[in-house]
Structure formats: C-alpha cells, structure tokens
Amino acid sequence: MSDGVLDRALLVLGCFHEDAPDLTAAQLAECTGLAVSTLHRLLATMIERGLLVRLPPHRYAVGARLWELGELSPLSLRLRETALPHMMRLYEATGENVHLAVLDGPDPASSDALFVGRVTGRSSIPTVSRMGSREPLHTTGVGKALLSTRDDVWLEQYFHRKLEAETTLSITAEAALRADIELARVRGFATTREEMTLGNVSVAAALGRVDDLPPVAIGVVVRLQRADERRLAPLVIQAAKDLRDELSITQ
C-alpha cells in the first residue's frame, strides 16, 4: 500500500470500536468522509489483505490478519503470556475478576488504561472492561494504580483534561484524586469503590518499572458486599511483585 492508501486504510480501521465492531459501507463512508467509489476499492483491497472481513448482510469487521499481527506485540508475547499464570493464581485465591492493564496514550492528557488481560468466572461480578478495551485512569483500580507511578510533571499535564464521572461516586476533583493517588503510593495498592460501575469495588497494584514495557498494573474487581481490602490487598500486591520479578528475569 502507498502512504496515501495506508492513511485511508487506517482511517477506515479507526471507525471500528467497542460499540461498533461491525459497520456497513454507508457508515464507513460517513465516518471517513471518503468518496463511495474510493471507499469500495479500498474495502476490496483490505479484504484481500485480511485486514477486514465481510459479514452478512453487507457489513464489515476487523479481519483475522490484524488479530494475528496484534498477537506479536510485546503486550501479548511478553506481558500477557507471562502474566497469565499469576492472574490464574490470583483468581483461584479470590474467585474474582482479575485484570491486567497498561498505561497507554500519546501524552498524559489523553492516556487511558488499556486492558491487555482478563480472567473471570461464573461467580465473578460483570464488568464493562474486556481485553483490548480502554477505560479511564481515574475511575478504575488498575488506572489509579498506574497513576500512582507517575511523577508530578506527568500528573500536572494529566489534570489538564476534563475528568468525566462514570457513576455518581466517581472522583473527578483534582484535589480528591491526588489524595487517592498519594494514598495508593503509601499503601502500595489503589482502590475504587463504585466509581466505574455501581456495586463494584476494585483493588489493584502497579508492578513498578519493567524495561521495554509501559507501566503495568494488576487488580481484582469484586462485589461491594465481598470487598475485604485487608484480605485482597496482600494477594494483589504479591501478584504484582511476583509478575514483575518474572518479567525482569525474562527481559
């Protein structure tokens, strides 16, 4: 693909998101602003290369080739594959959702928690996160844990953004969130209480610096009625330490 075609292909791929995993040609034309004839030629090429797949009736979705390439990312090959046994042990010890996330974004003002791993079971409380989803840093346990790893210069830029409330209990005031971040640093773990989803509590810990990987955090999400921080926090902290130690050995 030429640079121009590549730019247009990325424009098409950028139209897909969690709430729109498959789209019609008309929706893609509206999203991209491309001429219909140009778009149809581009879609044919992307299908041929495996970047898109056609679904009935007359819809398009991300192709298997992109998934195949994504699995070659260090976030999959190195981080997630190494983390899975640790996540399973944490799940077996708690019976709760286990999440693995990294800090991702071009700059502090547009950074999110990118979820790269998840272990769940039948008795685990439903959550909005999934592998590959992006969630706010300020309303998720792993997100707050990631914020606790950032310095004052980074945080100053981060707080230039408007923090949206996900629930009525979300913390969006800078002073209150800074206090939560500092508490997470002191205790070694972060918490959210019904700040992303009502009825859910999260306990998470950051791994600390790992060479050649973005900041990483691991955490559990539990029902409010089962949220015993005194039991969960040591388990999460130990999982983060064990994972960091293994990643440091295998780098």
Side-chain angles (χ1 to χ4, degrees), residues 165-232:
E166 300 293 333
T167 75
T168 56
L169 298 177
S170 298
I171 297 175
T172 57
E174 179 177 344
L177 185 54
R178 282 186 179 273
D180 246 16
I181 293 169
E182 184 56 35
L183 181 60
R185 289 171 176 160
V186 171
R187 298 195 301 183
F189 68 95
T191 61
T192 58
R193 299 185 68 84
E194 303 188 273
E195 296 165 47
M196 187 67 192
T197 305
L198 293 176
N200 287 14
V201 173
S202 180
V203 179
L207 270 60
R209 179 177 174 79
V210 179
D211 289 343
D212 303 322
L213 284 176
V216 184
I218 189 171
V220 295
V221 180
V222 306
R223 295 181 187 275
L224 179 62
Q225 297 84 351
R226 299 201 298 256
D228 183 353
E229 290 180 12
R230 292 174 297 178
R231 180 179 73 89
L232 295 172

Side-chain angles (χ1 to χ4, degrees), residues 25-26 29 33-43:
L34 295 174
V36 173
S37 58
T38 300
L39 177 63
H40 279 289
R41 287 195 300 272
L42 181 60
L43 293 177

Side-chain angles (χ1 to χ4, degrees), residues 55-75:
L55 302 176
H58 312 298
R59 303 185 73 82
Y60 299 86
V62 172
R65 180 59 176 155
L66 283 178
W67 172 81
E68 181 183 358
L69 290 171
E71 287 296 291
L72 298 176
S73 164
L75 296 181

